[in-house]
Amino acid sequence: MTQTRIAAEDYLEALAAHGIDHLFCNPGTDFAPIVEAFARSARSNRKVPRPMVVPHETAAVAMAHGYTMVTGKPQAVMLHTNVGTANAINMLIDAARDRVPILLTSGRTPFTEAGAEGSRNAHIHWAQEMFDQAGMLREVVKWDYEMKRGDQAGTVVDRALEMAMASPKGPVYLSLPREVLGEVMDRSPASNWERRARPRSPVPAPADVEQLAEWIEAARAPVVITGSLGQDPRDAVVLSRLAEQWALPVVPYNTRYFAISANSPMFQGSVPGPLLKDADLVIVIEADVPWIPSQEHPPAGARIVQIGEDPLYARYPMRSFPSDLTITASALSALEALEQALAKLKGTHVETRRARLVQRSTNLHAAWRAEAEQAAQINKNTLAWLNHCMREVVDRDTIVISEYSFRQEYCPLEMPGSLYSLSSAGGLGWGFGASLGAKLAAPEKRVVSVLGDGAYMFANPTACHYVAQMQNLPVLTVIYNNALYGAVRRATLGMYGRGVASENDGRLLADLPAPAFEKIVLAHDGHGERVDNPRDLPGALQRAAAAVRGGQQALVNVICP
Ligand SMILES: Cc1ncc(C[n+]2csc(CCOP(=O)(O)OP(=O)(O)O)c2C)c(N)n1
């Protein structure tokens, strides 16, 4: 039987032509042409992305995020009309603030009530229509569009990905009406992608780099504060080299990526306060919030430099950090240029700075180790101990995903691209799905996520364990289980430390009596353990890692009272 082509086939082929390997889906009635197009591609052997059912939108978007952060390649997600899109917005906010390119798409309920291929034929087709479906996420995405004609399949995908990948990167949204996807095509879709030179990310002005190099030469107490530096793993390589050569202390503050190894003497912990208060030069690289002004700030006379692809954070309504030199540049290009500029200078204070910083680093490491080892004495699992024990399962081939709980202070990492943490937007539920996306992207790596008990539950754990099992993605999930929304309690006590709420230790609306998480993973053919006694933690982590090596997903529920 000869078949006419439908637009959905062109659309899927356009995605594949852009290197999109996966379409993470949570389908509905709007998907019929997509399902038909996938079925046809299996017969024709034409290249399309691999479709994957992910039974919750949070997990679907987090998986795309996880895959992209490891590979740098944007992936696509397709969800069901307005309702599926609504479920995705939390994860989209995370991706947007972290500048992760994702092509989010959803079907649009059929707009014709009758008469076209794909017109309305189900009750929900009326109620799911919105005046402006993209309106609910327009503030979050860089670009949105609704495909209007089948022959736009090529040009629309070109435009969507061009926008997602241009600096600063970010998610984009495309809605796909069913009638349009089902249009019968009599010609190939247009595309001039070969002729579309992509713009570079911004590079610094040479005069600004010279200025910064001179300030570094003059500085006695400089500090570098990073936030999302390391998104491109090469950032960390150059930063580490520069920091060690020029004795520049680095504080990765609420870092989302690996910026420098905690084994480097220039890693000076992850809170800026202690170095900031005496600094004479503060170099902020890709840090949206380099310090909390109501709690700490540099001395009035300190020079402040802000460097980033979008150093003003144009999409943040309010942000007023001072800056004496603001450089629009990718971290990598700025650091490389700085390295060249510094090479011409003498490094007058370098050895004095180095001696002080090496000593400080030695002291800090001793304190961090003592803090971790205290757990055995008090017979309680602590955050420090949990992270210290992570050394059992972290090697150079491990990717760590952190949603709240991982600290390099206690478990130094070595490799650029080995750490990914929750976006500064803080939309919880990201970590588990991101770990699945990371494992899909790098099957040869061990992927370990460290999640709060609250964060684990936000991820729709059943959906995530399901994907791990069905798609054969053996990941290790470690839960820092304090049976609490600790952040909520801290906030209550922070504001009402002497209020009535403090009489109950700020636990109202924060207590989260936890079920036996280690049993949930058993329902998905996984390995689960609960650890109460800190001495049992190393062994439990080793057994879990062995299960993962054997192809099983694993979960360790660490009770941290
Ligand atoms: C989607 C979403 N809902 C609510 C919050 C508010 N919130 C911030 S931290 C937090 C508690 C998280 O609990 P857990 O993961 O156990 O970490 P803990 O604070 O106990 O360290 C909550 C509910 C959020 N950030 N994101």
Side-chain angles (χ1 to χ4, degrees), residues 90 404 426-428 452-455 458 480 482 484-488 490 512:
N90 174 25
Y404 254 53
L428 290 172
D453 48 335
F458 272 110
Y480 174 75
N482 56 2
L484 192 70
Y485 282 159
V488 176
R490 279 194 300 281
L512 202 62

